Amino acid sequence: MKKIVIAGCLFLCLAGCKKGSGATNEQVPSISIADISAAEGSGGQKTIDVEVSLSKTFSKEITVTYNTVEGTAKGGEDFVAVSGGTLRIPANTTTAKIQVQVVADEIKEGDESFLVRLSNPVNGILVRESATITIQNDDTKLAFTKDGYGVSSQ
């Protein structure tokens, strides 16, 4: 029985290898994402570019899925949450940007942060899969609650 299984595996392996198929042994690049800090701004939304870089150029397009993950910054309140976004890095390039939207307000609060996390790479290997996005507070107004004025504890 062992001979039949081994012979079957050998046949399948050889059948998948075509002589002169033009296949190369090009090594795929490593993929990393960089932390970033940006001022919050006031009112509306602000776009922040998060850079994803490759260790080298590659002859094929590279894709990677990305999601935002709450930290002290909350999705829908401090940034626009993303689930299942796809970043495409064209062949023969080494960088691309993920655009995330920060929701600006005018309330004085501490700096807040969240993550952009990469997953499911195609034609690359993740070496740094998450980046911390820090939203730097630049506001001067104090929050007003039923107890009066105060600084948000967030």
Side-chain angles (χ1 to χ4, degrees):
M1 182 67 176
K2 287 183 183 178
K3 290 181 181 180
I4 294 172
V5 171
I6 292 173
C9 289
L10 182 60
F11 174 76
L12 289 174
C13 289
L14 292 175
C17 298
K18 296 179 186 174
K19 188 173 185 179
S21 66
T24 64
N25 292 330
E26 183 180 15
Q27 288 188 334
V28 297
S30 58
I31 304 168
S32 60
I33 186 169
D35 296 338
I36 189 168
S37 294
E40 176 184 44
S42 53
Q45 293 183 358
K46 175 181 179 178
T47 301
I48 296 177
D49 290 331
V50 183
E51 185 170 277
V52 176
S53 59
L54 305 178
S55 59
K56 64 178 189 160
T57 59
F58 192 63
S59 62
K60 297 177 184 173
E61 177 183 75
I62 294 170
T63 61
V64 64
T65 302
Y66 64 93
N67 300 297
T68 54
V69 180
E70 291 185 350
T72 54
K74 303 299 177 197
E77 186 178 319
D78 300 307
F79 66 94
V80 176
V82 176
S83 178
T86 300
L87 178 68
R88 298 182 185 288
I89 304 172
N92 302 311
T93 60
T94 58
T95 61
K97 296 187 185 321
I98 295 171
Q99 293 189 324
V100 293
Q101 302 294 317
V102 171
V103 179
D105 60 34
E106 296 180 2
I107 306 298
K108 184 175 178 76
E109 57 194 350
D111 293 350
E112 298 172 310
S113 62
F114 65 98
L115 299 176
V116 174
R117 184 165 290 148
L118 304 177
S119 60
N120 304 318
V122 175
N123 293 326
I125 299 171
L126 291 174
V127 293
R128 184 159 195 255
E129 64 187 43
S130 64
T132 300
I133 313 307
T134 302
I135 305 168
Q136 299 169 324
N137 182 68
D138 58 358
D139 301 312
T140 57
K141 291 183 181 179
L142 297 178
F144 182 77
T145 66
K146 65 180 180 172
D147 299 325
Y149 288 97
V151 175
S152 173
S153 62
Q154 291 184 355

